Amino acid sequence: MLLISCLILIKNKPILSPVMGGRYKAMRVIAKSTIKKFWRKSIYSDSRGALESWYEETVKSNWLSPQAVKDQYGNASICGNNRVVFNISGNKYRLVVEIQYQAGIVWVKFIGTHAQYDKINVEDVNEY
């Protein structure tokens, strides 16, 4: 089978378009601004380094399945509704995302403390 892909830019970052079965080269996180809003709150400012690292590692990843996420982040929790929970800053914070693996998109759905996380339903939370 011949795989044909075309190069496109999203926010000046090259990715492969899924043309005729192609797949994205890197993940796209929607939205970094959401993550920044969280760490800019003085009470959560200590999360900045860990969230920046998670973001940079994620946009360089090519997760095609939940197992690919687990291979990179062994402590990540794979949940229903394409949701994944990441421990941030030594489990002080939780980041919930929805991943569309074939499209290469990671949507931020929730960021909060462990106590705040305990009050949400991971499979339907959509704070952003």
Side-chain angles (χ1 to χ4, degrees), residues 15-58:
I15 64 172
L16 293 175
S17 176
V19 177
M20 295 183 65
R23 294 192 181 174
Y24 285 88
K25 183 177 180 181
M27 304 306 286
R28 178 178 176 203
V29 176
I30 301 174
K32 186 173 184 180
S33 62
T34 301
I35 298 169
K36 284 182 178 181
K37 282 180 193 175
F38 183 80
W39 81 52
R40 286 183 177 153
K41 295 176 186 173
S42 60
I43 192 168
Y44 305 130
S45 62
D46 62 332
S47 68
R48 181 177 181 166
L51 286 168
E52 284 181 324
S53 293
W54 174 87
Y55 176 85
E56 291 302 322
E57 291 171 16
T58 299

Side-chain angles (χ1 to χ4, degrees), residues 78-83 96 98 120-126:
I78 307 300
C79 304
N81 203 19
N82 292 319
R83 302 297 175 100
V96 178
E98 178 181 331
I120 66 163
N121 180 336
V122 171
E123 294 184 15
D124 64 17
V125 68
N126 192 15

Side-chain angles (χ1 to χ4, degrees), residues 83-127:
R83 302 297 175 100
V84 179
V85 180
F86 294 92
N87 299 321
I88 303 295
S89 295
N91 206 22
K92 182 175 182 180
Y93 302 104
R94 293 281 179 99
L95 170 64
V96 178
V97 301
E98 178 181 331
I99 302 177
Q100 295 299 320
Y101 297 97
Q102 294 303 314
I105 298 173
V106 178
W107 280 282
V108 175
K109 298 296 184 177
F110 170 87
I111 310 171
T113 65
H114 200 285
Q116 292 165 333
Y117 167 83
D118 287 341
K119 297 176 183 176
I120 66 163
N121 180 336
V122 171
E123 294 184 15
D124 64 17
V125 68
N126 192 15
E127 289 195 0

